[in-house]
Amino acid sequence: MKPTEEQCVSPGRRVFLGALGLTAAGVATSSGREASSAGETSAVHFVDALPLYVPEQKVSGTISLWGHGSFKQDFLGKLVHAWAEGFRRLQPHVQFEKKMYGTASAIGALFTGAGNLAILGEDINPAAATAFQRAKGYPPTGVQIATGSLAASFFDYAHMIFVHTDNPIERLTVAQLEAVFGTEHKRAPRNVRTWDGLGLTGEWHGRRIQPYGWKIDEDFGLFFRGAVLEGSHRWNVDVKEFVHVTRPDGSLYEHATQILDALAQDRFGIAISNVRYANAQVKPLRLASRTGGPYYAATEANLIAQKYPLTRIIPAFIDRVPGEPVDPKLREFLRYILSRGGQRALLTQSDYLPLGADAIREQLERLL
């Protein structure tokens, strides 16, 4: 019997979406302003329309996987197991070694030869990419294999921009974000430090914008730096940075919660965080990649289609000598991950989302 849509979605995602009154087909913000239209296709229905994996050649050998995980928490264990077992049913002569000790070790394993496939839990760290380039003389080949989650911890949730609910602004472009959070104005013609610079009038005219965000030189900050600041290291000096704090009772006060708690007390602030940490005094903004839009809310459908500008993408990396073909066993396994079976496993064994149709097509072309 074919599983129902509810059964195909991981328990963690069902619990979280249910608690917020959200559905797998789309997400409504706490204010209800960005409720997804009834016509949006759910992640499950989209995956069901993908083609099944059909081997183009029989392959053999060992795939040594390194990547997202740790000795304490095996974030991708069930997912990688599902991929390996599904693939081996059609390619029984391939063996797997799974050494998911963390994203930080994955690229190093690739260029030293300890592994041949790196699956990261985030975008590649610039330092790791540089180390590979120095060791091999060419960059690693990246292939997108999944979309980051809407709002699940440890599954690359989307970065969202929030303001206080009193703030009348509803949308921003990435260039405007760069003008607020950066200093080199690589996208925008000038820096913006007051709300009238973003078009607000009345009591907002001349009021200084207070930015809140992650620690700028750690994982989340590195993503924002690449996606918004175009790699610039020069942030607005007014950015207030937050890190995880352990309370006296031993509980964790997460940085994303601290950020939105601070914003709730600051009518003139702007913050980077995620909807899972939202409170009644803040609201998320729609974002556009270019001036004039279109503007998109962070919904599962918009993440899958990569329409939302701050969508996180999960990459795999291989060592491919320029001009040479991809190792056949790696090519076939990556083709499986990009097929219906591989993308369905994302929904049943993790809180990641599938890739969109255009992205899958582009990744398959990269493997040729």
Side-chain angles (χ1 to χ4, degrees):
M1 179 181 295
K2 184 179 179 179
T4 65
E5 179 172 322
E6 178 71 12
Q7 291 170 330
C8 290
V9 180
S10 71
R13 180 180 293 138
R14 286 203 303 271
V15 170
F16 174 68
L17 296 179
L20 290 183
L22 311 180
T23 67
V27 177
T29 66
S30 57
S31 66
R33 290 183 175 87
E34 303 301 341
S36 300
S37 69
E40 284 185 316
T41 304
S42 75
V44 175
H45 291 162
F46 168 77
V47 167
D48 282 345
L50 292 175
L52 293 168
Y53 167 72
V54 177
E56 291 188 351
Q57 64 182 117
K58 290 295 183 181
V59 292
S60 61
T62 299
I63 295 177
S64 180
L65 283 162
W66 288 65
H68 186 37
S70 71
F71 291 103
K72 292 182 178 180
Q73 291 183 289
D74 189 10
F75 301 120
L76 296 187
K78 291 181 179 179
L79 175 60
V80 168
H81 179 76
W83 278 341
E85 290 303 301
F87 182 66
R88 277 177 46 78
R89 281 194 285 270
L90 297 167
Q91 296 279 13
H93 300 297
V94 173
Q95 307 300 317
F96 284 86
E97 293 178 350
K98 304 162 192 173
K99 299 182 179 181
M100 310 301 283
Y101 302 144
T103 291
S105 65
I107 298 299
L110 199 59
F111 69 71
T112 61
N116 52 22
L117 180 60
I119 296 180
L120 309 190
E122 60 200 11
D123 306 274
I124 189 170
N125 186 292
T130 298
F132 186 101
Q133 176 84 38
R134 288 175 176 169
K136 306 293 290 189
Y138 52 86
T141 296
V143 178
Q144 297 181 12
I145 59 173
T147 303
S149 72
L150 177 73
S153 289
F154 306 114
F155 291 93
D156 275 47
Y157 54 62
H159 286 211
M160 302 177 192
I161 304 301
F162 292 82
V163 294
H164 196 279
T165 51
D166 288 350
N167 194 318
I169 205 163
E170 297 288 341
R171 63 189 193 181
L172 289 173
T173 65
V174 173
Q176 288 174 314
L177 285 180
E178 192 264 347
V180 171
F181 282 90
T183 62
E184 293 191 289
H185 42 83
K186 291 186 174 184
R187 298 176 183 273
R190 64 189 66 84
N191 294 333
V192 173
R193 297 294 183 259
T194 57
W195 283 106
D196 52 288
L198 297 176
L200 299 191
T201 59
E203 68 167 311
W204 301 87
H205 184 85
R207 296 304 297 256
R208 194 161 184 84
I209 301 170
Q210 174 57 62
Y212 298 93
W214 330 105
K215 197 172 188 301
I216 61 176
D217 59 354
E218 293 186 349
D219 299 341
F220 288 0
L222 292 175
F223 168 76
F224 192 87
R225 189 179 83 189
V228 176
L229 306 187
E230 291 195 340
S232 172
H233 294 260
R234 298 181 62 188
W235 290 69
N236 181 344
V237 295
D238 290 336
V239 174
K240 290 187 177 181
E241 304 171 55
F242 291 83
V243 297
H244 295 321
V245 173
T246 301
R247 298 185 179 96
D249 65 1
S251 63
L252 184 67
Y253 189 17
E254 295 188 52
H255 53 13
T257 305
Q258 296 176 58
I259 289 168
L260 294 186
D261 284 350
L263 180 63
Q265 304 300 317
D266 184 357
R267 296 177 68 239
F268 302 102
I270 188 170
I272 315 164
S273 189
N274 182 269
V275 70
R276 72 177 288 118
Y277 305 101
N279 57 63
Q281 284 73 49
V282 303
K283 66 178 183 180
L285 302 182
R286 288 177 292 131
L287 301 179
S289 296
R290 60 182 181 272
T291 301
Y295 294 82
Y296 295 101
T299 68
E300 286 198 344
N302 286 340
L303 298 185
I304 292 169
Q306 297 187 24
K307 292 179 178 178
Y308 180 70
L310 301 185
T311 300
R312 308 292 301 278
I313 298 299
I314 309 307
F317 282 90
I318 58 175
D319 180 356
R320 181 185 190 180
V321 177
E324 296 294 323
V326 177
D327 182 324
K329 62 181 176 292
L330 299 179
R331 178 175 179 272
E332 288 298 311
F333 183 54
L334 289 169
R335 288 185 61 245
Y336 174 79
I337 290 175
L338 295 170
S339 73
R340 185 191 305 175
Q343 294 293 291
R344 177 175 283 280
L346 292 168
L347 301 179
T348 60
Q349 304 299 332
S350 81
D351 282 313
Y352 288 126
L353 296 170
L355 290 175
D358 290 342
I360 288 177
R361 189 179 307 110
E362 292 171 3
Q363 305 320 302
L364 291 172
E365 290 175 356
R366 288 179 63 80
L367 294 173
L368 295 177

